[in-house]
Amino acid sequence: MKTSTSLCLLLLTLVLGSCSSTKKAADNPLFSSAWELEYLSGPRIAFSGLYPDRKPVIRFNPENSRVEGNNSCNGYSADFTLSGNQISFGEPGPTTMMFCGQGEGFFVNTMKKINGYQIDADGKLELLMNQVPMMRFKSKKDVSATDQR
């Protein structure tokens, strides 16, 4: 009797714990939409010059801990690690090899330096390096599948 009661309690704890972690991911605005880059700190080239045709877009997938999208020209995919408001990105996976100017390099190199994030009062995602906003994204809830690749 004790064994079956203990087993039931263990099972109930696991079920409630998994529901809680799913709810946390669903409640995090980071996962609510795709994000389109609107600001990048560092380059001496104007933002519109770096991204004349298409701005980088990213989407965070909490189920496989990957960020996917485009870096203005080519597809982008990398692992990410999240702990509170700390975030880090792994090396980007293989992409197509189109060359579209310097914007892609600035985007990828800046992503490697990111170690935190915050959602500001306007609902914009800021990716931080040591508490300093390096990249700012606006929510792009209507991104099509082709914009994400």
Side-chain angles (χ1 to χ4, degrees), residues 13 24 37 39 49 53 55 67 76 84 101 112 114 125 133:
T13 303
K24 286 179 189 174
L37 186 68
Y39 169 79
D53 300 320
K55 297 175 189 165
V67 63
Y76 177 86
K112 292 177 185 178
I114 298 302
L125 168 65

Side-chain angles (χ1 to χ4, degrees), residues 12-81:
L12 181 62
T13 303
L14 288 173
V15 168
L16 291 176
S18 68
C19 290
S20 173
S21 64
T22 302
K23 184 178 185 295
K24 286 179 189 174
D27 290 346
N28 189 333
L30 188 65
F31 308 125
S32 66
S33 73
W35 299 91
E36 181 180 71
L37 186 68
E38 66 176 21
Y39 169 79
L40 178 66
S41 178
R44 295 183 180 184
I45 300 170
F47 185 81
S48 60
L50 286 174
Y51 308 109
D53 300 320
R54 187 164 100 172
K55 297 175 189 165
V57 173
I58 61 174
R59 179 180 296 276
F60 293 84
N61 186 338
E63 294 175 11
N64 63 6
S65 296
R66 292 196 56 84
V67 63
E68 301 159 337
N70 75 68
N71 50 27
S72 79
C73 182
N74 294 297
Y76 177 86
S77 175
D79 294 327
F80 72 90
T81 304

Side-chain angles (χ1 to χ4, degrees), residues 1-9:
M1 179 75 172
K2 281 185 177 180
T3 306
S4 64
T5 303
S6 297
L7 185 58
C8 286
L9 286 174

Side-chain angles (χ1 to χ4, degrees), residues 79-95:
D79 294 327
F80 72 90
T81 304
L82 187 64
S83 176
N85 282 0
Q86 295 180 344
I87 193 167
S88 61
F89 298 93
E91 287 294 319
T95 67

